[in-house]
Amino acid sequence: MEPLIAEPAPLTNDEIRRYSRHLIMPNIGMDGQGRLKAAKVLLVGTGGLGSPAAMYLAAAGVGEIGLVDYDTVDESNLHRQVIHGTKDIGKRKTESARETILDINPTVKVNIHETLLRSDNALEIIEPYDLVIDGTDNFPTRYLVNDACAILGKPNVYGSIFRFEGQLSVFWNEVGPNYRDLFPEPPPPGMVPSCAEGGVFGVLCASIGAGQVTEAIKLITGIGEPLIGKMKLYDALDHDWRTITVRKDPDAKPITELIDYEEFCGVPANDHVSDDVDSDFDLQITPAEFEKIRDEVTLIDVRDPHEYEISRIEGSTLIPLGDLPARMHELDSSDEIVLQCKSGQRSMQALNILRDAGFRKLRNLQGGINGYSRQVDSSIPTY
């Protein structure tokens, strides 16, 4: 494949010394390194995938890096988001990432887009860049990045992670399939937990994030065979990579406009876990309200057993969400039942399961056990 960057930029003597181990490789050389210097790469997200991606883009000598993020560094980020450190807790992720990038390579130009990528700003933000690396972990933004890249004719270097598994591909509507050819419809809301709910193996981020940078470098310089029309599936527990073929859907409608992706996916376009769960608000009970009546209600914890070992509210009964349909006979429908998980999302699913089965005296603990810890009992650890 022809290099994405047509004209290499000249290298200074200092840059020749810095990139000497690239330059002595015939596949890269002065020509490839000059193309990297001339390239502009947009990184959507500076979290688990974005952290290693940003660092290796900088180290490789990509001349201009754009960072899109709206979040701040939290202590729970640090086991996997290695571009940030303990000193950065509370700092904007874009600022923290820029500091690390410039420490790695002060010759890189860093552009900060401190915003949530939305339908009304995505085309404007993406347009000046040569390619996009998608480091998001929510479906609305994935579909948004895909559609914007398809409209603009940009390559979309895709990665995703969950627990011990990762996915890696290149979606480029100009020359191959895009994300919608593989996933024309998002999964039902709640079917796929976020990393905040389901967890992620920290070092997995490095495997997939570095893979995304590898694909970006291949596209920029024209070396190797990019993962266009192919997806790599990685299982960290077996250390196994599998390859599947991805084909364009001949019946797919052309992507011509951006839509409301939160409505399309049925979930928010961010990965925050909020105490303010507003769906079916009348079914919610705040931690303070629950504390006043806790001795009068049945508290059911629907998390997994290993989470119950981390923290629990005294007097709760553990019935994991997956076991609930088979164990609902253990509950008395005449009792007032409060359902609780980590953040209030899975427990709302449990509430709907019980409501469909005929239970009526149901409430969902707003913000879950983490919300309860923050608002009522700080001795309970959050995670």
Side-chain angles (χ1 to χ4, degrees), residues 50-117:
S51 288
M55 295 166 73
Y56 274 107
L57 287 171
V62 169
E64 191 168 332
I65 300 172
L67 306 174
V68 181
D69 211 314
Y70 59 92
D71 206 358
T72 57
V73 180
D74 182 80
E75 187 177 18
S76 66
N77 301 148
L78 301 182
H79 93 290
R80 67 195 184 282
Q81 299 183 16
V82 293
I83 203 167
H84 315 296
T86 302
K87 64 178 176 55
D88 300 313
I89 292 174
K91 187 182 295 184
R92 292 288 183 182
K93 285 185 177 180
T94 49
E95 289 293 342
S96 171
R98 176 163 60 180
E99 290 175 6
T100 303
I101 288 170
L102 294 179
D103 185 50
I104 292 171
N105 191 343
T107 69
V108 173
K109 180 181 179 182
V110 182
N111 305 319
I112 285 182
H113 308 277
E114 194 171 298
T115 182
L116 183 68
L117 200 69

Side-chain angles (χ1 to χ4, degrees), residues 154-185:
K154 309 283 186 180
N156 169 23
V157 183
Y158 164 80
S160 72
I161 50 176
F162 180 67
R163 292 185 173 166
F164 294 97
E165 298 178 347
Q167 299 177 351
L168 177 66
S169 189
V170 174
F171 297 115
W172 194 357
N173 202 51
E174 297 287 289
V175 296
N178 67 72
Y179 183 72
R180 285 182 181 270
D181 291 312
L182 184 61
F183 302 111
E185 299 288 338

Side-chain angles (χ1 to χ4, degrees), residues 197 273-277 284-288 290-291 299-303 307 311-313 338-348 363-377 380-383:
E197 283 288 325
V273 174
S274 174
D275 294 350
D276 300 321
V277 180
Q284 306 291 333
I285 184 170
T286 68
F290 165 74
E291 184 65 11
L299 178 63
I300 304 299
D301 189 326
V302 300
R303 297 175 298 158
E307 294 178 273
S311 61
R312 68 188 70 177
I313 298 176
V338 174
L339 295 139
Q340 165 254 308
C341 64
K342 175 187 174 184
S343 65
Q345 297 176 357
R346 282 173 287 172
S347 51
M348 194 65 203
R363 305 288 290 278
N364 183 49
L365 182 61
Q366 195 175 61
I369 192 169
N370 279 357
Y372 182 81
S373 172
R374 286 190 287 266
Q375 298 180 34
V376 175
D377 185 356
I380 296 176
T382 59
Y383 65 102

Side-chain angles (χ1 to χ4, degrees), residues 278-293:
D278 57 8
S279 61
D280 289 321
F281 186 78
D282 59 325
L283 298 174
Q284 306 291 333
I285 184 170
T286 68
E289 290 169 340
F290 165 74
E291 184 65 11
K292 293 177 182 178
I293 62 169

